[in-house]
């Protein structure tokens, strides 16, 4: 596969406009020493570039672009539309957002524009056009970066009017809307489009912002708001394309961020980029899963647009990254498909709410720091890796379904428990494969399932049109499907499938779920497998009956003791495993061990190890990334003995021990 870039981009967010020019010169020396080769500029400069409605000022940005070009930097050029200038609010207050509580905002913060404001669209498009005209032919601009971390919601009159138009296009008639949202409930039938109001706290949204009286309405509004912001992105992208036909265009995503349907966004992006900010206690498996999700959006290498070289400032507890941790985290990112490593930020700000956010150059203003030395070491290693990993890709035999519609609908559901969260459920299943070093692709609901031996679809609450048929075809042809409680319950409008749970999946699963028991946090049950193994379970328990499936495990207590908790059903040439309760890790592993063995799925290496081992495949060889994230030393797997570590040039010997945060990369011919 041809890489988007000619070298691994290494750099990050740079704001020389915040500093006097003598600092610029020092920065060029410092960054060159650290092997930094790229800079993301102009992210929040709208007010500087356009000081008034009719006036543009490019002198300073011209100097920054000229300086970076002269130093042979790869420039990631942002459009600055992530935060509006004060004059725009002052003259056109309707550009501001109205929040969930119905409050219309004033000038401040960022993510602050109503996405459906014609005024915002006019001036954002004009700014992007000015930038594209001016810099579109600069060969050092290697990527366009539109806006910044799109997110949030708006509930203003602009959005209400636009939402009604969106609904007309989607449903055609008001009768279809009433049916889709089941508005007979609570006597909510509407007879005209202007009777539809937005689902915030003033309407059918509930005060906590998490619940709603009509999930069909609220899910549709999430779809609409995601598309509204995507239309803003497309607007800027399209005007840039008028002047620059080739340079890739992106915007920085945020992993499992709930409010935007990233699979739809990725279809409009040339390359996916994202910002990785795990907390001090984020499991490494969750970070790996999120990388795999970002790679899975386009099933291709991605950009890491932001991470911190040391610590964040906005989380509750902003721990320092320990020696070696930033390097290990960065190389884990490359292992899972990144072709860039970029930081926020290159120089630490002197003021504002992010002044204590980590940076390559700290407030001390020198390179005599632990952070800079680690950044430099990584820069030297990435220079060497550019000759190897660019153009290589990640392959997998296992696909895990991640669907934003399902995410929204599941967490809007009123009952049976408030403790059920989508990402946590997905991660529980991902972690099994991570611990076994089995490669995974995170896939959309409409993926080509035939590419995989195993498809995992936990809490597949919403089964949209065509998915039943696609999953049945996958299993009939020999695939292995794993699904769980809270699956197959509703259609795309959050209306329940009648005829028994799990709805469209019932025949394929070979079970009928009669009831769903919710366990309070202090309550537990036990699942007993056929071989006598016992594991704990909590949260939810399906009370189900066999309809052709084989019972693999039963509940041990409560009135449904002895009834099926885990089942397996042959359907055509393949099998469907149904997990009816929230088992602990040992229980999930027991089921997935069976499924993996049945499907013939193999680990990256055959040897068991507690190290994370990930691989990227090139045409002629495979690159194995070996990382120790454990609090102990672990021996290098024997299959790598005699291989040369691409990072150090050393040959791995028998008995070689890896300390925490040690990384080794090996190449083996295909």
């Amino acid at each position: 596969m041809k890489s988007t870039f000619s070298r691994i981009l290494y750099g990050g967010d740079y704001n020389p406009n915040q500093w006097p020019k003598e600092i610029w010169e020092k920065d060029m020396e410092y960054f060159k020493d650290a092997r930094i080769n790229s800079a993301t500029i102009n992210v929040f400069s709208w007010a500087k570039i356009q000081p008034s409605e009719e006036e543009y000022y490019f002198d300073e940005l011209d100097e920054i672009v000229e300086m970076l070009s002269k130093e042979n930097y790869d420039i990631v050029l942002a459009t600055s539309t992530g935060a509006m200038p004060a004059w725009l609010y002052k003259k056109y207050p309707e550009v501001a957002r109205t929040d969930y509580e119905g409050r219309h905002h004033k000038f401040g913060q960022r993510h602050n524009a109503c996405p459906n404001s014609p005024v915002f669209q006019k001036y954002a498009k004009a700014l992007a056009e000015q930038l594209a005209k001016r810099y579109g032919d600069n060969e050092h601009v290697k990527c366009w970066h539109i806006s910044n971390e799109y997110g949030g919601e708006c509930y203003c009159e602009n959005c209400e009017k636009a939402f009604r138009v969106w609904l007309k296009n989607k449903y055609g008639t008001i009768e279809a809307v009433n049916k889709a949202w089941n508005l007979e409930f609570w006597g909510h039938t509407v007879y005209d489009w202007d009777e539809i109001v937005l689902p915030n706290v003033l309407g059918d949204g509930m005060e906590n912002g998490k619940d709603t009286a009509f999930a069909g309405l609220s899910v549709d509004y999430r779809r609409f708001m995601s598309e509204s912001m995507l239309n803003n992105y497309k607007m800027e992208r399209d005007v840039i394309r008028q002047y620059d036909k080739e340079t890739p265009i992106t915007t920085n995503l945020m992993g499992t961020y709930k409010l935007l349907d990233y699979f739809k966004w990725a279809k409009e992006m040339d390359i996916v980029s994202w910002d990785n900010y795990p907390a001090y206690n984020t499991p490494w498996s969750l970070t790996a899963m999120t990388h795999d999700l970002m790679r899975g959006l386009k099933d291709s290498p991605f950009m890491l647009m932001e991470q911190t070289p040391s610590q964040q400032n906005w989380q509750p507890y902003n721990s320092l990254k320990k020696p070696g941790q930033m390097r290990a985290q960065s190389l884990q990112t490359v292992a899972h498909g990144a072709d860039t490593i970029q930081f926020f930020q290159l120089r630490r700000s002197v003021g504002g709410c992010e002044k204590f956010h980590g940076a390559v150059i700290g407030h001390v203003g020198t390179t005599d720091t632990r952070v800079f030395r680690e950044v430099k070491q990584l820069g030297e290693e990435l220079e060497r890796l550019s000759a190897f990993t660019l153009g290589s890709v990640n392959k997998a035999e296992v696909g895990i379904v991640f669907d934003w519609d399902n995410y929204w609908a599941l967490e809007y559901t009123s009952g049976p428990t408030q403790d059920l969260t989508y990402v946590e459920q997905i991660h529980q299943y991902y972690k099994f494969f991570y611990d076994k070093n089995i490669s995974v692709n995170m896939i959309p609901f409409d993926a080509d399932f035939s590419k995989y031996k195993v498809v995992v679809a936990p809490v597949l609450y919403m089964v949209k049109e065509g998915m039943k048929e696609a999953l049945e075809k996958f299993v009939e042809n020999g695939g292995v499907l794993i699904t769980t409680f809270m699956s197959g319950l509703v259609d795309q409008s959050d209306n329940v499938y009648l005829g028994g749970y799990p709805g469209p999946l019932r025949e394929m699963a070979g079970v009928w779920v009669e009831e769903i028991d919710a366990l309070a946090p202090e309550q537990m049950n036990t699942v007993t497998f056929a071989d006598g193994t016992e594991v704990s379970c909590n949260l939810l328990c399906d009370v189900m009956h066999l309809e052709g499936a084989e019972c693999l495990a039963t509940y041990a207590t409560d009135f449904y003791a002895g009834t099926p908790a885990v089942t397996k059903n042959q359907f055509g040439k393949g099998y469907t495993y149904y997990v009816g309760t929230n088992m602990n890790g040992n229980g999930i592993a027991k089921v997935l061990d069976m499924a993996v063995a049945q499907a013939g799925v193999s680990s990256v290496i055959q040897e068991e190890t507690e190290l994370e081992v990930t691989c990227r495949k090139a045409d002629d060889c495979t690159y194995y990334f070996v990382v120790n994230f454990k609090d102990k030393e672990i021996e290098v797997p024997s299959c790598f003995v005699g291989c040369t570590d691409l990072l150090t040039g050393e040959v791995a010997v028998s008995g070689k021990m890896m300390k925490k945060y040690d990384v080794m990369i090996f190449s083996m011919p295909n």
Side-chain angles (χ1 to χ4, degrees), residues 370-470:
R370 174 181 69 90
V371 168
F372 184 86
R373 287 189 289 273
E374 293 192 20
V375 168
K376 179 178 178 178
Q377 178 191 355
L378 179 61
E380 292 169 344
E381 292 173 336
L382 292 177
E383 270 191 347
R384 293 195 289 275
L385 278 184
S386 284
F388 300 105
T389 61
L390 286 179
S392 62
V393 296
N394 298 72
K395 299 288 186 180
E397 297 176 320
V398 175
I400 298 182
V401 176
F402 194 103
D403 179 38
W404 264 267
D405 283 343
N406 195 68
Y407 191 172
W408 299 330
L410 181 74
E411 296 193 3
Y412 269 136
T413 299
S414 181
T417 175
Q418 67 176 7
D419 296 334
L420 178 62
T421 57
Y422 186 58
V423 174
E424 181 181 1
Q425 289 298 316
I426 299 293
H427 176 237
Q428 285 188 115
Y429 283 81
Y430 178 92
K431 188 175 185 301
F432 164 83
F433 299 104
Y434 176 84
D435 290 341
K436 296 280 188 178
N437 287 318
I438 296 173
S439 297
V440 169
N441 278 350
M442 305 296 290
I443 59 177
F445 79 95
D446 56 354
D448 179 359
F449 300 134
S450 67
K451 293 180 178 179
Y452 304 98
K453 293 181 177 179
V454 171
V455 169
V456 188
V459 291
L460 190 64
Y461 172 72
M462 177 181 284
V463 176
K464 290 177 284 192
E465 186 176 345
M467 194 169 191
K468 168 186 182 290
E469 294 77 11

Side-chain angles (χ1 to χ4, degrees), residues 22 37 84 164 174 180 184 189 242 320 367 413 460 465 473 495 548 568 594 608 634 669:
E22 56 267 23
N37 61 31
M84 295 183 292
R164 291 166 183 161
I174 199 73
E184 284 283 349
T189 301
Q242 293 177 22
L320 290 173
T367 61
T413 299
L460 190 64
E465 186 176 345
K473 182 179 179 182
N495 291 318
K568 179 178 75 170
M594 298 181 210
E608 289 190 11
I634 303 174

Side-chain angles (χ1 to χ4, degrees), residues 229-298:
M229 293 189 192
L230 178 56
N231 287 337
N232 288 175
Y233 169 84
K234 290 161 63 177
M235 172 189 72
E236 293 190 45
R237 177 203 64 189
D238 292 348
V239 76
I240 290 170
R241 274 286 169 258
Q242 293 177 22
Y243 301 92
D244 183 346
K245 303 296 185 185
E246 296 181 354
T247 305
I249 301 174
T250 190
T251 187
N252 46 341
L253 310 182
M254 296 176 285
T256 59
Y257 179 71
K258 186 175 181 179
L259 299 185
L260 302 180
D261 184 345
Y262 283 159
F263 275 109
K264 287 186 177 177
W265 278 66
K267 292 176 182 177
E268 306 295 341
M269 299 166 66
D270 295 320
I271 185 170
V272 166
S273 68
W274 85 285
D275 299 346
N276 180 32
Y277 290 111
Y280 75 98
N281 59 351
T282 300
W284 289 103
S285 56
L286 182 56
T287 301
M289 184 189 91
T290 316
H291 287 316
D292 287 350
L293 176 60
M294 295 294 96
R295 186 188 74 244
L297 296 179
K298 290 185 79 69

